[in-house]
Amino acid sequence: MKITKRLEKIANLVEEGKSVIDIGTDHGLVPLYLAKKEISKDILATDISKKSLQKLEDKLDNDLKKIIKTKVCDGLDGIDIKKGQIAIVAGMGAVTIIEILSKNIEKVRKLDYIICEGNIGNEKLRKFLNENNFYIDKDFLIKDGRKHYDIIMFKNGLDRKLSLSEIYFGKFIYKDFNPLLKKRLEQIYKKNLKFKENIEKFSENKEGLDLIEERLAAIKEVKDYEDKRCN
């Protein structure tokens, strides 16, 4: 079964034999991949939209129905966590992911681990995890087509305090510097300098400047580290 690089990276983080909850499954590509590759034999695919979930249900033959169950629900609402179970939350904004985690945070803590891929605002997700006693096991950037994606795998447990640059660009940025990030940082830096210049010149409302300054400071941390490493 062929799926996108992004979804394949997520699916391949799942250990063989784990029970899986795929939250916000939409077309159900990850559950189908996990079942057909025999990575998991116990999958619950959920979505808040019955119409979206139907797209997956239409693809299930009798054999797949023994492995993949479906449920219309919001996040982990109405789900009892089992031993050896993990969750996947992918393809939505970090704010939405945080809402899902916060709503049933004690259930989240009972999971063996959670794999997240937020398509925007991942610094918010890292900050939330760092402040709420979740330990980040994996945190890496990939490129799929023209888009970049952050994939974060975490579990319940105290972690060290992350620096500003780690919050913005990944816990392991200094341990294993990703070449994809260098070009991305330059793009973000130039874009935010332009935003800052336009707000200062043309806008009476300076709202948003603090966030831009914080992002620029995070990039400066990375650049300063790289300068020291190279000298």
Side-chain angles (χ1 to χ4, degrees):
M1 179 183 172
K2 196 167 185 180
I3 58 175
T4 63
K5 180 181 176 181
R6 171 180 69 93
L7 294 180
E8 186 175 25
K9 287 283 187 184
I10 292 167
N12 286 339
L13 288 174
V14 177
E15 293 173 274
E16 191 173 332
K18 290 290 185 185
S19 297
V20 178
I21 308 169
D22 186 33
I23 299 170
T25 195
D26 195 25
H27 289 254
L29 296 178
V30 170
L32 288 169
Y33 180 91
L34 292 172
K36 290 179 179 182
K37 293 284 185 180
E38 299 183 348
I39 296 170
S40 176
K41 294 182 179 179
D42 179 19
I43 303 168
L44 176 62
T46 78
D47 205 285
I48 198 168
S49 165
K50 184 174 177 58
K51 188 176 179 182
S52 290
L53 206 54
Q54 189 66 48
K55 298 171 191 173
L56 168 59
E57 291 170 346
D58 291 342
K59 297 171 187 170
L60 300 180
D61 58 26
N62 289 333
D63 288 333
L64 286 171
K65 283 179 182 177
K66 294 174 185 176
I67 300 170
I68 302 173
K69 307 300 180 186
T70 62
K71 183 180 179 68
V72 177
C73 64
D74 184 2
L76 289 168
D77 284 0
I79 297 174
D80 293 324
I81 305 302
K82 299 186 286 190
K83 187 177 180 181
Q85 198 164 40
I86 68 114
I88 297 169
V89 194
M92 55 191 84
V95 171
T96 302
I97 293 175
I98 291 167
E99 288 172 356
I100 289 169
L101 299 176
S102 298
K103 192 176 181 185
N104 286 285
I105 197 162
E106 293 311 314
K107 289 183 181 181
V108 175
R109 295 195 191 283
K110 291 178 183 178
L111 292 162
D112 280 12
Y113 54 86
I114 304 92
I115 302 164
C116 284
E117 178 269 300
N119 52 31
I120 189 170
N122 287 291
E123 70 278 1
K124 296 182 181 72
L125 177 57
R126 290 190 190 93
K127 186 176 181 183
F128 170 83
L129 297 175
N130 206 219
E131 291 177 350
N132 286 276
N133 293 342
F134 288 106
Y135 184 89
I136 296 175
D137 269 322
K138 297 185 187 298
D139 187 354
F140 58 92
L141 177 71
I142 67 162
K143 188 176 182 183
D144 189 356
R146 299 183 66 178
K147 292 186 177 180
H148 292 85
Y149 299 94
D150 289 290
I151 297 175
I152 302 169
M153 179 172 149
F154 65 94
K155 61 187 177 185
N156 189 49
L158 188 65
D159 206 344
R160 64 178 173 79
K161 183 175 174 58
L162 300 184
S163 68
L164 182 63
S165 51
E166 290 170 330
I167 289 287
Y168 267 89
F169 305 115
K171 178 182 175 181
F172 305 107
I173 183 174
Y174 300 121
K175 183 180 177 183
D176 183 20
F177 193 81
N178 189 330
L180 281 175
L181 188 57
K182 190 170 184 179
K183 186 176 179 181
R184 191 183 186 206
L185 284 176
E186 286 301 323
Q187 292 171 341
I188 296 170
Y189 186 70
K190 288 176 183 176
K191 186 187 292 185
N192 279 272
L193 277 181
K194 190 68 177 174
F195 287 159
K196 181 184 175 183
E197 183 183 323
N198 287 339
I199 290 172
E200 288 175 340
K201 278 187 178 180
F202 306 116
S203 178
E204 290 183 10
N205 184 357
K206 305 301 180 186
E207 190 177 342
L209 266 181
D210 287 349
L211 188 59
I212 291 171
E213 293 284 9
E214 183 178 86
R215 197 173 290 122
L216 290 171
I219 295 171
K220 186 176 184 302
E221 270 188 25
V222 181
K223 287 185 172 185
D224 288 348
Y225 174 84
E226 281 298 292
D227 288 345
K228 286 178 185 176
R229 191 174 66 86
C230 293
N231 292 333

